[in-house]
Amino acid sequence: MDLRLLPSFLAVVEEQHFGRAAARLFLSPPAVTQHIRRLENELGTPLLHRNPVRPTAAGMRFAEHARTLLAAADTAVEDVHEAVRRERERTTRPLRIGIMGHGSAEITPAAVNAYRRARPEVPVEVLQLDFTEHVTALVEDRVDLAFIRPMPDDDRLVGDVLLTEQRIVVVPESARLADARTEGVRVADLADLPIFRVPDHTPTIFKDYLYFHNEAARRGRSVALFPQEVLTGVLTGHGAGSGLRSFARYYNWPGAVFVPVLDAPQESSHLAARAGDPNPEVAVFRALATTLARELAPRINAMPLP
C-alpha cells in the first residue's frame, strides 16, 4: 500500500468534501479523487459515500488504521533521523584528553600525535588538569582519558601504567638539600621539608604520593594546584616540591635544584579512563599509548637529571 495515498483519504474524511480536502493538501480535486479510487480498488470496497461525502463502515475502520500507519511511519522516520544524528555526534565528538602536569613525559605528546595521525577525522581536545582532578575529571565526563599519577583506587576507573620512575624533590639553590643533587637523599632526610599544600578535597592517594606517606611532617604553608605554582613557590622561598624524575626535564627552571630520593619507592604515571566506556576511540588511544610506552619508557628512564 502506498502510504502517500492515506493523507488524501483522511483529509476527505475530516473535511467531508473533496474540494476542501484538496485545498488543504495543496492538491487538485482530481488528484485527491484518484487517490481515493486507488485505495478503494486495492482494498476491494468503497471507503466513502459520495453524496453527501462521508465514510462507509469500512471507511471508518480504515481511517483508524490509516492514522496509526501514518503515525508509525512518522515515528520510523524520526527514529532513523535520530540514529543518524547520534552516529554523526559520536563520530565527530572530540576525544577529550586531560593531562595532569607533564603527564607521562615524552609518552604523552607521542601518544596524542600518534592518535591524530591514526584518526585524523576525530577532533582532539587537550585539557590541563590540576592536582585534585584524578577522579572528578573522568567521572564528571569532562574528559575521556587522563594522564595522571598515581592511579586512584576507584572501581569507576581503569588505568594503564605508562611510565614508572624514580622520585625526586625540588628545592631552591640555597636549600641545604641542594648540595645532594648528585648523590641523592633518603626519605629520612626530608623530615622537615616544607612540601607545598594541596586542597583538602585532593584524593588521599595523591597526598600520600606527594608527601612520601608522611603528610604531617612535610606539609608547607603554600598551596599549589599546578606544577608552575610549585616552581614559583620554590624559587620565591615559599616551599618545596616532589615529583617524578621526568619532572626535572619539563620544569628545569633556573634556580630550581632537583634531588633524587634514593630509597623512596618508584611511582608510576597512568593513562586513566572510565570503566566500561563504550567509546571505541578511547580503546584506540589506550592501545596506541601503551604500545608507545613499551618503546619509550626505557629511554626516558635512562635520561640524566638536568
Side-chain angles (χ1 to χ4, degrees):
M1 179 178 293
D2 188 346
L3 296 182
R4 292 174 296 180
L5 305 178
L6 302 184
S8 293
F9 170 69
L10 290 174
V12 174
V13 169
E14 293 165 6
E15 297 291 342
Q16 296 186 348
H17 192 278
F18 278 81
R20 289 195 296 270
R24 171 173 150 182
L25 298 173
F26 300 99
L27 296 174
S28 66
V32 172
T33 299
Q34 184 183 27
H35 291 173
I36 302 303
R37 285 176 179 167
R38 287 177 58 187
L39 283 172
E40 290 177 329
N41 290 335
E42 187 167 344
L43 293 170
T45 185
L47 297 175
L48 295 167
H49 297 295
R50 267 41 179 195
N51 192 17
V53 177
R54 66 185 190 281
T56 63
M60 292 180 65
R61 289 197 179 188
F62 184 68
E64 295 177 6
H65 292 298
R67 293 187 180 97
T68 301
L69 286 168
L70 289 176
D74 289 341
T75 300
V77 171
E78 291 174 4
D79 191 53
V80 169
H81 288 168
E82 176 67 12
V84 171
R85 183 186 65 80
R86 290 186 179 182
E87 178 66 15
R88 186 177 296 116
E89 287 182 351
R90 186 191 68 78
T91 56
T92 59
R93 171 180 168 172
L95 186 68
R96 302 161 300 167
I97 302 169
I99 302 175
M100 178 178 290
H102 66 294
S104 294
E106 286 82 357
I107 297 170
T108 299
V112 173
N113 291 329
Y115 177 80
R116 282 180 165 145
R117 289 192 297 270
R119 305 288 286 167
E121 72 278 11
V122 181
V124 175
E125 291 182 1
V126 176
L127 299 91
Q128 190 70 43
L129 303 182
D130 66 41
F131 295 140
T132 72
E133 296 180 291
H134 288 68
V135 176
T136 55
L138 284 163
V139 300
E140 294 175 3
D141 195 25
R142 288 185 276 117
V143 298
D144 302 301
L145 294 146
F147 289 88
I148 61 173
R149 62 187 181 280
M151 184 67 198
D153 183 13
D154 193 308
D155 292 340
R156 295 172 293 178
L157 305 181
V158 293
D160 306 304
V161 175
L162 297 183
L163 185 62
T164 302
E165 301 180 77
Q166 184 184 45
R167 294 297 308 282
I168 57 98
V169 291
V170 53
V171 296
E173 287 180 334
S174 58
R176 172 182 56 85
L177 292 180
D179 295 336
R181 71 181 77 187
T182 302
E183 64 270 22
V185 297
R186 297 188 175 276
V187 173
D189 299 323
L190 310 178
D192 300 322
L193 193 65
I195 298 175
F196 67 89
R197 299 166 63 92
V198 289
D200 291 340
H201 63 275
T202 304
T204 300
I205 191 170
F206 186 79
K207 294 178 183 177
D208 289 342
Y209 153 83
L210 191 67
Y211 304 119
F212 298 91
H213 295 270
N214 192 350
E215 178 179 353
R218 305 189 184 96
R219 195 164 182 175
R221 291 176 296 173
S222 298
V223 177
L225 285 174
F226 297 96
Q228 294 85 347
E229 295 173 340
V230 175
L231 269 296
T232 299
V234 168
L235 297 178
T236 56
H238 288 90
S242 75
L244 300 176
R245 186 181 179 90
S246 58
F247 179 93
R249 292 197 312 281
Y250 279 79
Y251 298 99
N252 187 19
W253 291 15
V257 176
F258 302 92
V259 183
V261 184
L262 304 177
D263 60 343
Q266 291 194 334
E267 292 282 359
S268 300
S269 55
H270 296 75
L271 177 63
R274 286 181 290 276
D277 192 329
N279 185 352
E281 301 306 321
V282 169
V284 171
F285 190 96
R286 289 178 66 187
L288 286 170
T290 52
T291 300
L292 285 166
R294 287 192 291 271
E295 175 188 348
L296 296 176
R299 284 189 256 163
I300 293 172
N301 281 321
M303 295 178 182
L305 278 173

